[in-house]
Amino acid sequence: MEKRFESRVEQAFYELSGMQEMTAQIPYVTVDNFPKLGLMTSLRFLEWAEQNPNGVISLPTGKTPEYFIKYTQFLLENWDNEKGIEIRSQYGLGEMAKPDLSGLQFVQIDEFYPIDPRQHNSFYNYVMKYYIEGFGLKEENALLINSEEIPLVDNKSFLEVFPDYNIDLSLRYREATSEVEKMQQDSIFMIDNWCTQYEQKIREKGGIGFFLGGIGPDGHIAFNTRGSDHYSTTRLTKTNFETQAVAAGDLGGIEVSRNRLVITIGLDTITHDKDAVSIIFAAGEAKADIVKGSLESKPDAVYPASVLQRQKNGRFYLTTGAACKLADSVNQYYKEGEWTQTKTEKAVIDLCQKLNKYGHHLTLEDLKADPYTSQIPNLSEDTVQLVIDAIQNKLEKGMKADNDEVVYHTGPHHDDIALGIMPYINRQVRSASNEIHFSVLTSGFTAVTNGFIIGVLKECQNFISNDEVQMLEYPDFFEVGYDKKWDKDVSHFLNSVAERNENGKRRGLCHRVIRSIVGIWKVQDKFHLNKVIASVIGELESSYDGGKNSPEVQKMKGMVREFEEELVWGHFGVPVNNVHHLRLGFYKGDIFTELPEKNRDMLPVLEEFRKYKPTTISLAMDPEGSGPDTHYKVLQAIAGAVKEWGEEEDLSKLRIIGYRNVWFKYHPADADYIVPVSLNSLDVLENSFTECYMSQVNASFPSYEYDGKFNELTQKVWVQQLKQIQLLLGKNFFYENDHPLVRATHGLVYMKEMTAEEFVTMAKDLEKAVEENPF
């Protein structure tokens, strides 16, 4: 393969990628999985650091750098050990001396403003923990963004000047109308001057020599959002919705991130040194569209990362999922290996989209003129009809009723199952011959805000003081009674839904929360209960948004989510005993979640399979290992359990159903089932989500794709998928169809089916990626 890169690391990974051509505006390298992305970036960083021991570096914060950080620390600690030598030799650095990072000069990329630098969710704290301390850099050589050290009027603290954390940037352009506004206006200009000085200090160093950054869903790098000037410098600025949605996880909800400004270096700051190495890394199919736009466009304000075209060493490092929509990847997909039915379906369906033509209007000339459909073997007038027949067959499979099945639906988080395949489940639960289970594998406490819990606990206090929690009077309640009648809680809540009784619903939630508190804190009586509730309210009110809660509060938040899940499936008469809460141990609310462990995370899943002996298992299908990384780690645990179970029992008839929801989407060619979605199904999802997922209905942690409830985004996706198939089959196929389910279709769900053997084979690649991790 032709040499393309001066870097030995990049050349080694490029050769391993098997890439045949590269037509993008910025060179890039692809790897198979998320951990390997971290390995590549780590090796390239260490290669550069050895050549530039006093160089200027900017490194990223957040979840994407997890394996970059872990591999860098491992390699530095094991440079001359057998494993370290093996890794270095494999990727071109076998003869390289161990770099000394202590002389490197660090530049912090960005920060929320204002934020207490001691908070674990501040980027300053992250930099200090993982880079200054973790990499052994010297703090005196670092340019850092510490909100407390940015001077304001009269040496006031940021809370004295901006007591609600809100900063009105219109004060830059208008007259102040009060003494407070004048103080804030003068302080804003002082912050602007600080940013100018920060920029000047970077320029005095010669600019950034090694930049590594992630890319946001809108294409932002650092906090340079879509539309940023390519000659922008360090500044205090607002963000856009997509960025706020992503930052919500850091700051404790979009209620906070929507109003928080940021300080960020600019696009010109990043590219000032034309000889610098600037790398953007991205993982997962969720990034595929923005990666395509960033790499295949000329410099464009819509794609901030396109600014890297200025630098000869500008690079993108990508997982295959993040690269899957690049023209090079699509070309290689169709050129490599044998031609399959999936390729035919994909090429024809995509041609309908490209030409905006219904399938039955496509001509043989259209097929021959397209670079992909023209490759279909035995291309003829019948080709499109064969694809139409195949898609109709998938639709028929999606309408087939399941009977006499033991179905075990799994979700990484609460609401994933509902948002993924509820229309499919709607029909399964109608057959009394089916035994249906729902299992959420993580606690999900991170999705519950402090504000929500404080409100619920204060309601609990009111209900208790008004003697409206009668179960507290039962003689054995605090010993054993609290742990009984969980189904009654669900029934009472859903009765209140039917009655449109808001007070009844809130009482129902408070009943469940009180049961949880008694169990978690070993409450002994009503006095003790009131004391615990007051103490928890005090703890939450004194903690900052996004702060890590105590294990007890985490458990209580998780049990709220568990109750919500029980309520959703209670709509269909599913008993609490059939809704399982596995609370796998890798999920702890840390920045970097741990890898699944066999005894802690896989065996609980295996025990479920042994106990219930499902004939069908569903799961969220994210095999690449990218955000949300919980999906990937849950998939690992399930794959390990299926593998072990397969050594004990014959699983030749076990069906594995893969679904995707708002984070990832299937192409219909990759799906095996296409499930019709009626307006009735959409109403069921809307009502159950709104009534039951109480902690989520205001979307404190929304998707960057939609400013609203997740079920509304899901509906949008399902409707788009219908339009995709309508363009192939024709709209009249649906409204004139003989089958009432088809006539009632107003959306579609795509699902993939595998045998246990196929699933385990796929999972072996995951296992290999995990086993390769030396830490």
Side-chain angles (χ1 to χ4, degrees), residues 293-365:
S294 300
L295 278 174
E296 295 182 349
S297 300
K298 295 289 187 181
D300 190 327
V302 174
Y303 299 109
S306 63
V307 75
L308 265 61
Q309 293 177 41
R310 294 181 189 170
Q311 296 174 299
K312 64 179 182 180
N313 293 315
R315 298 285 185 270
F316 268 61
Y317 289 179
L318 306 167
T319 63
T320 50
C324 70
K325 293 190 178 181
L326 292 174
D328 298 335
S329 299
V330 176
N331 289 337
Q332 191 164 344
Y333 167 77
Y334 284 110
K335 287 179 181 177
E336 279 192 345
E338 64 176 341
W339 192 271
T340 62
Q341 173 66 19
T342 300
K343 289 182 179 181
T344 297
E345 291 175 20
K346 194 168 288 190
V348 170
I349 291 169
D350 288 350
L351 182 59
C352 289
Q353 301 287 323
K354 280 186 272 188
L355 300 181
N356 196 27
K357 260 189 176 183
Y358 289 110
H360 58 278
H361 288 162
L362 289 179
T363 65
L364 187 56
E365 287 69 32

Side-chain angles (χ1 to χ4, degrees), residues 422-622:
M422 183 177 269
Y424 175 58
I425 294 168
N426 284 348
R427 290 200 289 281
Q428 284 183 328
V429 295
R430 288 176 190 153
S431 172
S433 69
N434 291 324
E435 179 185 328
I436 313 288
H437 296 265
F438 299 92
S439 183
V440 181
L441 276 69
T442 66
S443 169
F445 58 82
T446 59
V448 183
T449 64
N450 288 352
F452 177 85
I453 289 293
I454 290 169
V456 173
L457 291 177
K458 288 183 176 179
E459 286 182 304
C460 288
Q461 289 178 319
N462 290 334
F463 284 126
I464 292 170
S465 66
N466 293 331
D467 293 325
E468 293 184 73
V469 187
Q470 296 169 357
M471 62 185 182
L472 297 179
E473 307 305 324
Y474 297 165
D476 64 348
F477 178 76
F478 292 98
E479 289 75 33
V480 294
Y482 72 90
D483 203 25
K484 298 178 180 179
K485 298 188 178 180
W486 298 77
D487 283 297
K488 184 179 180 182
D489 292 340
V490 171
S491 179
H492 280 193
F493 185 99
L494 295 180
N495 282 339
S496 296
V497 171
E499 296 167 0
R500 299 188 182 276
N501 181 349
E502 290 299 320
N503 187 65
K505 288 191 294 182
R506 301 309 292 181
R507 275 188 67 199
L509 172 60
C510 288
H511 272 65
R512 178 56 67 90
V513 169
I514 288 169
R515 290 185 192 276
S516 303
I517 291 170
V518 172
I520 295 168
W521 277 273
K522 309 300 180 190
V523 173
Q524 299 162 4
D525 52 38
K526 190 189 290 189
F527 175 79
H528 187 197
L529 174 62
N530 281 316
K531 188 176 178 181
V532 169
I533 292 174
S535 173
V536 175
I537 291 172
E539 175 188 335
L540 293 176
E541 287 183 334
S542 63
S543 66
Y544 57 85
D545 291 311
K548 189 172 181 179
N549 300 130
S550 66
E552 292 83 6
V553 172
Q554 287 181 351
K555 188 173 183 180
M556 179 180 63
K557 285 185 171 183
M559 292 180 78
V560 168
R561 297 238 63 199
E562 291 166 1
F563 181 49
E564 292 175 340
E565 195 74 12
E566 292 165 8
L567 291 172
V568 169
W569 305 120
H571 275 67
F572 303 98
V574 176
V576 167
N577 284 341
N578 284 32
V579 183
H580 311 290
H581 312 297
L582 299 196
R583 305 175 187 171
L584 297 188
F586 75 82
Y587 186 90
K588 295 179 179 177
D590 297 325
I591 293 175
F592 303 142
T593 55
E594 299 175 9
L595 289 170
E597 295 177 3
K598 180 176 180 179
N599 289 339
R600 182 189 64 187
D601 301 309
M602 186 275 284
L603 289 182
V605 184
L606 176 59
E607 287 302 318
E608 291 281 288
F609 294 164
R610 287 170 172 163
K611 181 177 181 180
Y612 298 109
K613 301 189 182 306
T615 56
T616 299
I617 297 170
S618 76
L619 70 151
M621 187 61 70
D622 176 19

Side-chain angles (χ1 to χ4, degrees), residues 1-2 4-5 8-22 27-33 36-37 40 90-91 316-321 323 326 328-329 332-333 336:
M1 185 176 289
E2 175 186 351
R4 291 177 179 269
F5 300 98
R8 288 169 289 170
V9 171
E10 289 177 347
Q11 183 63 25
F13 277 96
Y14 171 72
E15 291 175 2
L16 286 169
S17 73
M19 287 177 57
Q20 300 300 315
E21 60 181 337
M22 187 182 298
Y28 63 93
V29 186
T30 61
V31 292
D32 294 335
N33 55 64
K36 196 164 284 185
L37 184 69
M40 177 166 59
Q90 187 177 356
Y91 299 106
F316 268 61
Y317 289 179
L318 306 167
T319 63
T320 50
L326 292 174
D328 298 335
S329 299
Q332 191 164 344
Y333 167 77
E336 279 192 345

Side-chain angles (χ1 to χ4, degrees), residues 11-146:
Q11 183 63 25
F13 277 96
Y14 171 72
E15 291 175 2
L16 286 169
S17 73
M19 287 177 57
Q20 300 300 315
E21 60 181 337
M22 187 182 298
T23 61
Q25 301 291 332
I26 301 169
Y28 63 93
V29 186
T30 61
V31 292
D32 294 335
N33 55 64
F34 189 41
K36 196 164 284 185
L37 184 69
L39 173 62
M40 177 166 59
T41 52
S42 171
L43 288 166
R44 180 65 183 106
F45 168 65
L46 293 170
E47 180 185 35
W48 184 90
E50 193 272 336
Q51 297 165 355
N52 302 271
N54 298 307
V56 181
I57 61 172
S58 256
L59 303 177
T61 54
K63 291 184 179 293
T64 306
E66 174 180 3
Y67 287 100
F68 163 70
I69 292 169
K70 288 179 176 177
Y71 267 113
T72 299
Q73 291 177 333
F74 176 84
L75 288 167
L76 290 173
E77 292 168 3
N78 297 275
W79 194 263
D80 293 318
N81 292 352
E82 181 180 349
K83 189 63 180 177
I85 294 171
E86 178 188 341
I87 293 173
R88 290 192 290 111
S89 300
Q90 187 177 356
Y91 299 106
L93 301 184
E95 303 301 319
M96 193 180 89
K98 179 181 176 180
D100 180 1
L101 305 189
S102 64
L104 294 175
Q105 303 173 71
F106 188 92
V107 173
Q108 186 173 336
I109 294 174
D110 49 20
E111 181 61 283
F112 302 111
Y113 186 85
I115 191 169
D116 187 326
R118 289 171 290 275
Q119 291 184 195
H120 90 283
N121 55 349
S122 75
F123 293 161
Y124 174 90
N125 184 280
Y126 185 110
V127 166
M128 291 297 294
K129 179 177 180 180
Y130 293 110
Y131 295 138
I132 304 301
E133 298 170 17
F135 284 10
L137 307 180
K138 292 182 178 177
E139 187 176 353
E140 59 265 29
N141 289 343
L143 283 179
L144 302 175
I145 306 173
N146 182 332

